[in-house]
Every structure is written in structure tokens, then in C-alpha cells.
Amino acid sequence: MGILDWFNNRPGQFNLDPDADAAVLWGIDKAITLTNPRLKLISGCEKRLAPAVEKTINYLRATATTLPALHTLSAHTWSTDPALRAFFAAPTDIPKVLGRSGNLRTLFDKFPELDEACVVLGMAFKEQRVFGMALHGETVQRDVAQICVNFSDHRARICGRDESRLRRLIGAEVFEHLVAHALAEIGEERSERRELQENRSLIRARLRLLQQHGPGLGAMFGEAPAAKCEQERLAAELLENEKQLDAMGSSDSILEMELECLLDVLNDPQNHLHFEAKQLQLDAMNMVLDESTAAPVASIDFLVAELHGTPPILRAFVLARVARSELPPPQTINFNDAARLLYQIVPLILKNSVLHRKGAKI
């Protein structure tokens, strides 16, 4: 099963606890497998992970209830769906986005009996302050501060045969993102340890060279004796380096550190990934309006996901239903046109090359 069957049904029919124990076991196994399978060597690892995994599952379960209803993603429905009009500047943009989705094309190719599939339509989301005109009652006011909403970088990567499978996929993707966040922190620790080990090797090699250039064979071959203070400085650096490595601990303590990083993320998922349900009243130009305005207003709903990191990422998304007929045919290379273009370009390249050589001789 997926991360939890809490992504199975529509929000109104949501079962909050279909199989919590199985979900926690799945999450524990997934977290250990993705992070480091050797974590199982830590005594009581699964028992320590269980509460944190359950906390993340509860957070995602609560988020699932805010997922918006499905839209029919089609150029034909663009004119009747206010949300699609807000997301896309023109109906012709929709098939372009669908055509770029390799995952959606693969899904339809894998299941030829499917007439439609479900996708997550993700978009970059930006709110920008602008000055424009606003209608208050029967009076037009100029230079009014307004907020313009912009949607761009449309992508449809996550897709499923139906809504229930799509929701399970969303849950699994979000859970794996949180584990990946813990892995990033673990990677920084590993890099620091590797850097210290490399520095230790360099310091030791440098110290050996300085010691060889002192009295003895170094003097016989004409090498100037190494300054004692330089040797003492390198010896102090080596000692400090080894202290830092000792502070990082043995291999057992490294595993404990990795488990702690994983627990920190899963115990506080909202600190690394935040979801917010948005409902905006927009005009035809995607200007945010309030309830008092007399201009035509369209109400749209979507979810905003904020991924904390450097830099933070803000994405808006909705769930959508896509018919197979909406997927444009794959782009193919027209070899006749390509050959014709080559026949036109190659003589020009050769001519320029000959002129260049003649110019060089002159």
C-alpha cells in the first residue's frame, strides 16, 4: 500500500484511520531504506521511529482534507473553468503542458485501456503588488494598490490511473521529500567528516616532510632544516583535527546521528514542508479583489506548498482529470526537413571556412 489510504477518497468521504498500523510500518521501512539500511543495527530503531512516523502521517492526513477537488484539464473547458483561466493565459497552453509530461504519456502507453488519467498540476506561484484602476460603486479610482497573481512553470509529473492512486502517490512523494530533507542534513555531516579526514592526511604528510628536512639525510642533500615552530604548528593542527574527529564519534555514533536527523525531521514535518489552502477572488487580469468590489469576480481554490530550504520553493497545485484525447501526439523529427536544412547550411559553412583560410594567408 502507499503511505496511507488517507489519500484514497474524496475529502468529503475521507476515512481518517483506515489502517494506521500498516501505514506506520510502511513509513518506518521506507525511512530506513532511503536513509541508511544499517540503521536497523541500532537497538530499538523501529520503536524510536514509530512515534515520529505517526506524527508525519497525521500531519499529511490533515493536509489531505485540504486537497482541492479535481478539475477537467482540457483546452475545451478553459473558457468555463475560472481556475483554468487564472492558471493559463490561453487554452492552447494546456496541451503544451500535457505534451511535456513524459510520465503522463508513459502511463497512457502502459495502460491502453485507460480513457483518462489523473495528474497533479503544479505551478510556480507569485503575488506581486502593482498599481492600477479599481471600480468602487460607480466610481473608477486610479493608482490603487493591488495584488496581481501570476502562475507559471506548469508541470504535470505526478499522475495515476485514478484519483485514489494519485492521492496515494502524493502521500508517498511528500513522505519521501521529508526523508530526503533529513538525508541532506546527514550528507552535510558526512561531508564535514570526510573533509576532516582528508585534512588530517594532508597535515600528516606535510609534517613528515618537514621532519625529514631537518638534521640527518635532509642536511646531507642540502635541504634547509625545517623551522621548529612550523612543525609545532602542524602538530597542533593535527591534534585539533583529531579532536574534532573524535567529537564526531565512532561508526556507531554516526548511525545514531543519522537516526537523530531523521527523527528531527519526522517529528516536526511542518517545519520543513508547509501546506496552505488558498481561495482567491480574481478578475479577468488575475487581480485579487475583495468582496466589496463591483467588478466581475471568479473564485478559485488551490493548494500552496512551501518547501523550506535554501532557497525556499513555493508551488501551487491542483488535482486534474485528463482525457487521453487531450494528450498531443509526441513530437517527431522530420528527417526530410532536417536533410534539406543540412544541404542549405553545409555549403555556407564550407564557403565561410575557405574565406577564413584565405584571409588568414593574407
Side-chain angles (χ1 to χ4, degrees):
M1 62 178 290
I3 177 62
L4 196 64
D5 277 344
W6 28 259
F7 279 111
N8 261 357
N9 309 309
R10 301 182 66 84
Q13 305 166 341
F14 198 69
N15 186 352
L16 287 178
D17 194 15
D19 194 351
D21 292 337
V24 171
L25 291 175
W26 183 94
I28 292 172
D29 181 69
K30 192 74 170 178
I32 292 175
T33 302
L34 292 177
T35 305
N36 186 349
R38 295 182 67 246
L39 289 176
K40 292 183 178 180
L41 298 176
I42 299 177
S43 178
C45 173
E46 290 89 346
K47 187 176 181 180
R48 290 171 61 184
L49 271 172
V53 169
E54 186 175 8
K55 187 174 291 186
T56 292
I57 287 173
N58 289 336
Y59 172 68
L60 296 180
R61 183 189 294 124
T63 300
T65 62
T66 65
L67 284 171
L70 265 73
H71 294 262
T72 299
L73 191 55
S74 165
H76 303 292
T77 59
W78 179 85
S79 60
T80 57
D81 189 334
L84 295 186
R85 292 201 305 273
F87 299 151
F88 297 95
T92 52
D93 293 335
I94 296 177
K96 292 178 184 178
V97 172
L98 297 178
R100 292 197 300 266
S101 177
N103 290 349
L104 182 60
R105 195 177 300 279
T106 300
L107 180 68
F108 278 129
D109 290 343
K110 186 176 180 180
F111 300 99
E113 72 280 5
L114 280 183
D115 293 326
E116 64 178 24
C118 294
V119 301
V120 176
L121 175 63
M123 303 159 283
F125 171 66
K126 184 178 180 181
E127 293 179 312
Q128 185 177 4
R129 286 196 170 274
V130 297
F131 290 93
M133 294 186 296
L135 183 64
H136 288 274
E138 297 181 355
T139 304
V140 176
Q141 295 184 348
R142 300 179 182 275
D143 297 328
V144 177
Q146 296 175 310
I147 296 177
C148 180
V149 177
N150 181 48
F151 299 92
S152 60
D153 190 28
H154 303 74
R155 301 184 186 184
R157 290 177 176 170
I158 305 176
C159 51
R161 285 180 285 168
D162 53 42
E163 185 179 355
S164 64
R165 287 182 174 88
L166 182 67
R167 289 175 180 271
R168 288 199 297 271
L169 278 171
I170 295 171
E173 290 278 345
V174 172
F175 188 85
E176 289 179 7
H177 169 79
L178 291 170
V179 175
H181 194 95
L183 269 174
E185 296 182 5
I186 291 170
E188 291 178 4
E189 292 282 347
R190 290 174 180 170
S191 297
E192 183 180 351
R193 183 179 185 86
R194 186 162 50 248
E195 185 178 350
L196 286 171
Q197 290 172 337
E198 291 172 355
N199 286 343
R200 179 176 60 179
S201 299
L202 290 172
I203 294 171
R204 282 178 172 173
R206 177 64 177 155
L207 185 58
R208 281 196 300 269
L209 286 173
L210 289 180
Q211 290 170 344
Q212 290 170 3
H213 291 172
L217 289 178
M220 184 183 300
F221 290 112
E223 295 284 356
K228 186 177 180 181
C229 62
E230 180 66 10
Q231 293 188 37
E232 291 176 349
R233 183 184 68 79
L234 286 176
E237 286 186 13
L238 182 60
L239 181 62
E240 178 62 26
N241 179 280
E242 291 178 344
K243 284 181 180 179
Q244 292 177 8
L245 281 171
D246 289 340
M248 299 187 79
S250 61
S251 58
D252 291 340
S253 61
I254 292 174
L255 286 177
E256 182 65 31
M257 175 275 296
E258 293 180 356
L259 179 58
E260 286 296 331
C261 283
L262 193 55
L263 288 171
D264 286 344
V265 173
L266 296 180
N267 269 318
D268 193 14
Q270 62 271 23
N271 192 42
H272 307 280
L273 179 64
H274 176 69
F275 293 96
E276 180 183 359
K278 283 272 191 180
Q279 184 178 55
L280 298 179
Q281 313 294 324
L282 303 178
D283 66 8
M285 301 299 293
N286 274 13
M287 295 292 183
V288 179
L289 305 175
D290 56 35
E291 296 179 355
S292 63
T293 183
V297 173
S299 179
I300 67 168
D301 297 277
F302 57 96
L303 207 63
V304 173
E306 183 179 0
L307 283 60
H308 299 172
T310 307
I313 299 174
L314 198 68
R315 299 284 291 181
F317 67 89
V318 293
L319 308 185
R321 182 184 295 106
V322 178
R324 178 187 290 270
S325 59
E326 292 295 326
L327 191 64
Q331 292 184 348
T332 57
I333 298 175
N334 189 322
F335 289 99
N336 291 331
D337 289 345
R340 193 160 42 248
L341 184 61
L342 280 175
Y343 287 138
Q344 295 173 356
I345 293 177
V346 169
L348 293 175
I349 294 175
L350 293 175
K351 182 179 179 181
N352 290 334
S353 177
V354 170
L355 292 174
H356 178 73
R357 285 199 299 271
K358 288 181 177 179
K361 289 180 181 179
I362 293 173

